[in-house]
Short mmCIF file of all heavy atoms in Angstrom, two decimals:
data_model
loop_
_atom_site.label_atom_id
_atom_site.label_comp_id
_atom_site.label_asym_id
_atom_site.label_seq_id
_atom_site.Cartn_x
_atom_site.Cartn_y
_atom_site.Cartn_z
N ARG P 658 -18.37 -3.39 -5.59
CA ARG P 658 -16.91 -3.25 -5.64
C ARG P 658 -16.39 -2.33 -4.54
O ARG P 658 -15.29 -2.54 -4.02
CB ARG P 658 -16.49 -2.71 -7.02
CG ARG P 658 -16.58 -3.75 -8.14
CD ARG P 658 -15.90 -3.27 -9.40
NE ARG P 658 -16.58 -2.11 -9.96
CZ ARG P 658 -17.56 -2.20 -10.87
NH1 ARG P 658 -17.96 -3.39 -11.30
NH2 ARG P 658 -18.13 -1.12 -11.36
N ARG P 659 -17.19 -1.33 -4.18
CA ARG P 659 -16.72 -0.37 -3.17
C ARG P 659 -16.90 -0.88 -1.75
O ARG P 659 -16.00 -0.74 -0.92
CB ARG P 659 -17.45 0.97 -3.35
CG ARG P 659 -16.92 1.80 -4.50
CD ARG P 659 -17.45 3.23 -4.43
NE ARG P 659 -18.89 3.28 -4.66
CZ ARG P 659 -19.46 3.39 -5.86
NH1 ARG P 659 -18.70 3.43 -6.94
NH2 ARG P 659 -20.78 3.45 -5.97
N ILE P 660 -18.04 -1.47 -1.45
CA ILE P 660 -18.30 -1.83 -0.04
C ILE P 660 -18.68 -3.30 0.16
O ILE P 660 -18.90 -3.72 1.30
CB ILE P 660 -19.42 -0.94 0.55
CG1 ILE P 660 -20.77 -1.23 -0.14
CG2 ILE P 660 -19.07 0.53 0.45
CD1 ILE P 660 -21.96 -0.56 0.54
N GLY P 661 -18.75 -4.07 -0.93
CA GLY P 661 -19.18 -5.45 -0.78
C GLY P 661 -20.69 -5.56 -0.74
O GLY P 661 -21.41 -4.70 -1.24
N HIS P 662 -21.17 -6.61 -0.09
CA HIS P 662 -22.60 -6.90 -0.04
C HIS P 662 -22.93 -7.39 1.36
O HIS P 662 -22.08 -8.01 2.02
CB HIS P 662 -22.94 -7.98 -1.08
CG HIS P 662 -24.40 -8.27 -1.22
ND1 HIS P 662 -25.06 -9.14 -0.37
CD2 HIS P 662 -25.33 -7.82 -2.11
CE1 HIS P 662 -26.33 -9.21 -0.73
NE2 HIS P 662 -26.53 -8.42 -1.77
N PRO P 663 -24.15 -7.14 1.85
CA PRO P 663 -24.49 -7.62 3.20
C PRO P 663 -24.22 -9.11 3.41
O PRO P 663 -23.80 -9.52 4.50
CB PRO P 663 -25.98 -7.30 3.32
CG PRO P 663 -26.16 -6.09 2.46
CD PRO P 663 -25.24 -6.29 1.31
N VAL P 664 -24.43 -9.93 2.40
CA VAL P 664 -24.16 -11.37 2.56
C VAL P 664 -22.67 -11.62 2.72
O VAL P 664 -22.26 -12.52 3.47
CB VAL P 664 -24.76 -12.16 1.39
CG1 VAL P 664 -24.31 -13.63 1.43
CG2 VAL P 664 -26.28 -12.10 1.42
N THR P 665 -21.83 -10.85 2.02
CA THR P 665 -20.38 -11.03 2.21
C THR P 665 -19.96 -10.58 3.60
O THR P 665 -19.04 -11.16 4.18
CB THR P 665 -19.58 -10.27 1.14
OG1 THR P 665 -19.77 -8.85 1.30
CG2 THR P 665 -20.01 -10.67 -0.26
N TRP P 666 -20.63 -9.57 4.15
CA TRP P 666 -20.31 -9.16 5.53
C TRP P 666 -20.70 -10.27 6.50
O TRP P 666 -19.94 -10.60 7.43
CB TRP P 666 -21.05 -7.87 5.89
CG TRP P 666 -20.86 -6.75 4.91
CD1 TRP P 666 -19.84 -6.59 4.01
CD2 TRP P 666 -21.74 -5.63 4.72
NE1 TRP P 666 -20.02 -5.45 3.27
CE2 TRP P 666 -21.17 -4.83 3.68
CE3 TRP P 666 -22.93 -5.23 5.30
CZ2 TRP P 666 -21.77 -3.67 3.23
CZ3 TRP P 666 -23.53 -4.06 4.86
CH2 TRP P 666 -22.94 -3.29 3.84
N ILE P 667 -21.88 -10.85 6.30
CA ILE P 667 -22.30 -11.97 7.14
C ILE P 667 -21.31 -13.13 6.98
O ILE P 667 -20.94 -13.79 7.95
CB ILE P 667 -23.73 -12.40 6.77
CG1 ILE P 667 -24.73 -11.31 7.15
CG2 ILE P 667 -24.10 -13.72 7.46
CD1 ILE P 667 -26.14 -11.55 6.61
N GLY P 668 -20.89 -13.37 5.75
CA GLY P 668 -19.95 -14.45 5.49
C GLY P 668 -18.63 -14.27 6.20
O GLY P 668 -18.02 -15.25 6.67
N ARG P 669 -18.17 -13.04 6.31
CA ARG P 669 -16.90 -12.80 7.03
C ARG P 669 -17.06 -13.13 8.51
O ARG P 669 -16.14 -13.69 9.13
CB ARG P 669 -16.45 -11.36 6.84
CG ARG P 669 -15.80 -11.11 5.49
CD ARG P 669 -15.01 -9.83 5.48
NE ARG P 669 -15.87 -8.65 5.43
CZ ARG P 669 -16.26 -8.06 4.30
NH1 ARG P 669 -15.90 -8.57 3.13
NH2 ARG P 669 -17.02 -6.99 4.33
N LEU P 670 -18.21 -12.82 9.08
CA LEU P 670 -18.44 -13.16 10.49
C LEU P 670 -18.49 -14.67 10.66
O LEU P 670 -17.91 -15.22 11.61
CB LEU P 670 -19.74 -12.51 10.97
CG LEU P 670 -20.20 -12.86 12.39
CD1 LEU P 670 -19.10 -12.56 13.41
CD2 LEU P 670 -21.49 -12.14 12.74
N ILE P 671 -19.17 -15.37 9.75
CA ILE P 671 -19.22 -16.83 9.83
C ILE P 671 -17.83 -17.43 9.69
O ILE P 671 -17.46 -18.36 10.43
CB ILE P 671 -20.16 -17.38 8.74
CG1 ILE P 671 -21.59 -16.92 8.98
CG2 ILE P 671 -20.10 -18.91 8.68
CD1 ILE P 671 -22.52 -17.14 7.80
N GLY P 672 -17.05 -16.90 8.76
CA GLY P 672 -15.69 -17.39 8.59
C GLY P 672 -14.85 -17.21 9.85
O GLY P 672 -14.07 -18.09 10.23
N ALA P 673 -15.00 -16.06 10.50
CA ALA P 673 -14.24 -15.81 11.73
C ALA P 673 -14.67 -16.77 12.83
O ALA P 673 -13.83 -17.30 13.58
CB ALA P 673 -14.44 -14.36 12.17
N LEU P 674 -15.97 -17.02 12.95
CA LEU P 674 -16.46 -17.96 13.95
C LEU P 674 -15.97 -19.37 13.66
O LEU P 674 -15.61 -20.13 14.57
CB LEU P 674 -17.98 -17.93 14.00
CG LEU P 674 -18.61 -16.64 14.55
CD1 LEU P 674 -20.10 -16.60 14.27
CD2 LEU P 674 -18.34 -16.49 16.04
N ASP P 675 -15.94 -19.73 12.40
CA ASP P 675 -15.47 -21.07 12.01
C ASP P 675 -13.99 -21.24 12.36
O ASP P 675 -13.58 -22.25 12.93
CB ASP P 675 -15.70 -21.25 10.50
CG ASP P 675 -15.33 -22.64 10.02
OD1 ASP P 675 -15.34 -23.59 10.83
OD2 ASP P 675 -15.04 -22.79 8.81
N ARG P 676 -13.20 -20.22 12.02
CA ARG P 676 -11.77 -20.31 12.31
C ARG P 676 -11.49 -20.32 13.80
O ARG P 676 -10.59 -21.03 14.28
CB ARG P 676 -11.02 -19.15 11.65
CG ARG P 676 -10.97 -19.23 10.13
CD ARG P 676 -10.06 -18.16 9.56
NE ARG P 676 -10.51 -16.81 9.88
CZ ARG P 676 -11.37 -16.12 9.16
NH1 ARG P 676 -11.91 -16.67 8.06
NH2 ARG P 676 -11.72 -14.89 9.50
N GLY P 677 -12.27 -19.55 14.54
CA GLY P 677 -11.97 -19.40 15.96
C GLY P 677 -12.56 -20.49 16.84
O GLY P 677 -12.00 -20.77 17.93
N MET P 678 -13.67 -21.12 16.42
CA MET P 678 -14.37 -22.03 17.31
C MET P 678 -14.40 -23.48 16.83
O MET P 678 -14.70 -24.38 17.63
CB MET P 678 -15.82 -21.54 17.51
CG MET P 678 -15.92 -20.15 18.10
SD MET P 678 -17.63 -19.59 18.33
CE MET P 678 -18.17 -20.70 19.62
N ASN P 679 -14.11 -23.72 15.58
CA ASN P 679 -14.17 -25.07 15.02
C ASN P 679 -12.80 -25.72 15.11
O ASN P 679 -12.01 -25.70 14.17
CB ASN P 679 -14.65 -25.03 13.57
CG ASN P 679 -14.92 -26.42 13.01
OD1 ASN P 679 -14.89 -27.42 13.74
ND2 ASN P 679 -15.18 -26.49 11.72
N ARG P 680 -12.52 -26.31 16.25
CA ARG P 680 -11.19 -26.88 16.53
C ARG P 680 -11.17 -28.35 16.14
O ARG P 680 -11.93 -29.17 16.68
CB ARG P 680 -10.84 -26.70 18.00
CG ARG P 680 -10.69 -25.23 18.42
CD ARG P 680 -10.43 -25.12 19.91
NE ARG P 680 -9.31 -25.94 20.34
CZ ARG P 680 -8.94 -26.14 21.60
NH1 ARG P 680 -9.65 -25.55 22.58
NH2 ARG P 680 -7.92 -26.90 21.90
N GLU P 681 -10.29 -28.70 15.23
CA GLU P 681 -10.24 -30.06 14.72
C GLU P 681 -9.69 -31.06 15.73
O GLU P 681 -9.82 -32.28 15.52
CB GLU P 681 -9.42 -30.09 13.43
CG GLU P 681 -10.06 -29.27 12.31
CD GLU P 681 -9.34 -29.40 10.99
OE1 GLU P 681 -8.35 -30.17 10.93
OE2 GLU P 681 -9.76 -28.74 10.02
N ASP P 682 -9.08 -30.58 16.82
CA ASP P 682 -8.57 -31.51 17.84
C ASP P 682 -9.66 -31.88 18.86
O ASP P 682 -9.41 -32.66 19.77
CB ASP P 682 -7.37 -30.91 18.56
CG ASP P 682 -7.70 -29.60 19.28
OD1 ASP P 682 -8.73 -28.98 18.95
OD2 ASP P 682 -6.91 -29.19 20.15
N GLN P 683 -10.86 -31.33 18.69
CA GLN P 683 -11.96 -31.61 19.62
C GLN P 683 -12.82 -32.77 19.08
O GLN P 683 -12.95 -32.95 17.87
CB GLN P 683 -12.84 -30.38 19.80
CG GLN P 683 -12.14 -29.22 20.50
CD GLN P 683 -11.83 -29.55 21.95
OE1 GLN P 683 -12.69 -30.00 22.69
NE2 GLN P 683 -10.59 -29.31 22.35
N PRO P 684 -13.46 -33.53 19.97
CA PRO P 684 -14.35 -34.61 19.53
C PRO P 684 -15.62 -34.05 18.89
O PRO P 684 -15.97 -32.88 19.09
CB PRO P 684 -14.67 -35.36 20.83
CG PRO P 684 -14.47 -34.36 21.91
CD PRO P 684 -13.35 -33.47 21.44
N PRO P 685 -16.34 -34.89 18.13
CA PRO P 685 -17.53 -34.39 17.40
C PRO P 685 -18.57 -33.73 18.30
O PRO P 685 -19.15 -32.70 17.91
CB PRO P 685 -18.08 -35.66 16.75
CG PRO P 685 -16.88 -36.53 16.57
CD PRO P 685 -16.01 -36.27 17.76
N ASP P 686 -18.83 -34.28 19.50
CA ASP P 686 -19.84 -33.67 20.37
C ASP P 686 -19.46 -32.26 20.78
O ASP P 686 -20.31 -31.35 20.82
CB ASP P 686 -20.05 -34.52 21.62
CG ASP P 686 -20.84 -35.79 21.32
OD1 ASP P 686 -21.39 -35.89 20.21
OD2 ASP P 686 -20.90 -36.68 22.20
N ALA P 687 -18.19 -32.05 21.07
CA ALA P 687 -17.72 -30.72 21.46
C ALA P 687 -17.80 -29.76 20.27
O ALA P 687 -18.17 -28.58 20.43
CB ALA P 687 -16.29 -30.79 21.98
N ARG P 688 -17.50 -30.25 19.08
CA ARG P 688 -17.56 -29.39 17.90
C ARG P 688 -19.01 -29.06 17.55
O ARG P 688 -19.31 -27.96 17.08
CB ARG P 688 -16.85 -30.06 16.73
CG ARG P 688 -15.35 -30.23 16.97
CD ARG P 688 -14.67 -30.98 15.87
NE ARG P 688 -14.49 -30.17 14.67
CZ ARG P 688 -13.86 -30.59 13.58
NH1 ARG P 688 -13.36 -31.82 13.54
NH2 ARG P 688 -13.71 -29.81 12.54
N ARG P 689 -19.91 -30.00 17.80
CA ARG P 689 -21.33 -29.71 17.56
C ARG P 689 -21.81 -28.62 18.52
O ARG P 689 -22.52 -27.70 18.11
CB ARG P 689 -22.16 -30.98 17.72
CG ARG P 689 -23.65 -30.75 17.49
CD ARG P 689 -24.44 -32.05 17.53
NE ARG P 689 -24.15 -32.89 16.38
CZ ARG P 689 -24.86 -33.96 16.05
NH1 ARG P 689 -25.91 -34.32 16.79
NH2 ARG P 689 -24.55 -34.67 15.00
N ARG P 690 -21.42 -28.71 19.79
CA ARG P 690 -21.81 -27.67 20.76
C ARG P 690 -21.20 -26.33 20.38
O ARG P 690 -21.87 -25.28 20.48
CB ARG P 690 -21.38 -28.08 22.17
CG ARG P 690 -22.21 -29.21 22.77
CD ARG P 690 -21.94 -29.36 24.25
NE ARG P 690 -20.56 -29.76 24.52
CZ ARG P 690 -20.14 -31.02 24.59
NH1 ARG P 690 -21.00 -32.01 24.40
NH2 ARG P 690 -18.87 -31.31 24.85
N ALA P 691 -19.96 -26.35 19.92
CA ALA P 691 -19.31 -25.11 19.49
C ALA P 691 -20.06 -24.50 18.30
O ALA P 691 -20.22 -23.28 18.21
CB ALA P 691 -17.85 -25.37 19.12
N GLY P 692 -20.53 -25.35 17.39
CA GLY P 692 -21.30 -24.85 16.25
C GLY P 692 -22.60 -24.23 16.67
O GLY P 692 -23.05 -23.23 16.08
N MET P 693 -23.24 -24.79 17.69
CA MET P 693 -24.48 -24.22 18.19
C MET P 693 -24.23 -22.85 18.82
O MET P 693 -25.00 -21.91 18.61
CB MET P 693 -25.11 -25.16 19.21
CG MET P 693 -25.56 -26.48 18.59
SD MET P 693 -26.09 -27.71 19.81
CE MET P 693 -27.61 -26.95 20.39
N VAL P 694 -23.13 -22.73 19.57
CA VAL P 694 -22.79 -21.44 20.16
C VAL P 694 -22.47 -20.43 19.07
O VAL P 694 -22.89 -19.26 19.12
CB VAL P 694 -21.61 -21.59 21.14
CG1 VAL P 694 -21.13 -20.22 21.62
CG2 VAL P 694 -21.99 -22.47 22.32
N ALA P 695 -21.70 -20.87 18.06
CA ALA P 695 -21.35 -19.97 16.95
C ALA P 695 -22.60 -19.49 16.23
O ALA P 695 -22.71 -18.30 15.87
CB ALA P 695 -20.42 -20.69 15.98
N LEU P 696 -23.56 -20.38 16.02
CA LEU P 696 -24.80 -19.98 15.36
C LEU P 696 -25.57 -18.98 16.21
O LEU P 696 -26.12 -17.99 15.69
CB LEU P 696 -25.66 -21.22 15.10
CG LEU P 696 -26.99 -20.99 14.37
CD1 LEU P 696 -26.75 -20.40 12.98
CD2 LEU P 696 -27.77 -22.30 14.27
N PHE P 697 -25.60 -19.19 17.52
CA PHE P 697 -26.27 -18.25 18.41
C PHE P 697 -25.61 -16.87 18.33
O PHE P 697 -26.29 -15.84 18.26
CB PHE P 697 -26.23 -18.76 19.85
CG PHE P 697 -26.80 -17.79 20.85
CD1 PHE P 697 -28.16 -17.67 21.04
CD2 PHE P 697 -25.95 -16.97 21.59
CE1 PHE P 697 -28.69 -16.77 21.95
CE2 PHE P 697 -26.46 -16.05 22.50
CZ PHE P 697 -27.84 -15.96 22.69
N VAL P 698 -24.27 -16.84 18.33
CA VAL P 698 -23.55 -15.57 18.23
C VAL P 698 -23.89 -14.88 16.91
O VAL P 698 -24.16 -13.67 16.86
CB VAL P 698 -22.04 -15.79 18.37
CG1 VAL P 698 -21.27 -14.50 18.05
CG2 VAL P 698 -21.69 -16.28 19.77
N LEU P 699 -23.87 -15.65 15.83
CA LEU P 699 -24.19 -15.09 14.51
C LEU P 699 -25.57 -14.46 14.49
O LEU P 699 -25.75 -13.33 14.03
CB LEU P 699 -24.11 -16.21 13.46
CG LEU P 699 -24.61 -15.85 12.06
CD1 LEU P 699 -23.69 -14.83 11.40
CD2 LEU P 699 -24.73 -17.11 11.20
N LEU P 700 -26.56 -15.17 15.02
CA LEU P 700 -27.93 -14.67 14.99
C LEU P 700 -28.11 -13.48 15.94
O LEU P 700 -28.86 -12.55 15.64
CB LEU P 700 -28.91 -15.78 15.34
CG LEU P 700 -28.92 -16.98 14.38
CD1 LEU P 700 -29.96 -18.00 14.79
CD2 LEU P 700 -29.14 -16.52 12.95
N ALA P 701 -27.42 -13.52 17.07
CA ALA P 701 -27.52 -12.41 18.02
C ALA P 701 -26.95 -11.13 17.41
O ALA P 701 -27.54 -10.05 17.55
CB ALA P 701 -26.79 -12.76 19.32
N VAL P 702 -25.81 -11.26 16.73
CA VAL P 702 -25.16 -10.08 16.14
C VAL P 702 -25.98 -9.54 14.97
O VAL P 702 -26.33 -8.35 14.92
CB VAL P 702 -23.73 -10.41 15.69
CG1 VAL P 702 -23.14 -9.25 14.89
CG2 VAL P 702 -22.85 -10.72 16.90
#
């Protein structure tokens, strides 16, 4: 209740990457590449 949980912290980062990089106006190939970059950022952080 006071600080959350490490998984919720990870989830907030994933949510931010999803909102910022998953653009619905892009074709599937571009969104797949964006997802790969987002995953790399997540794992790097």
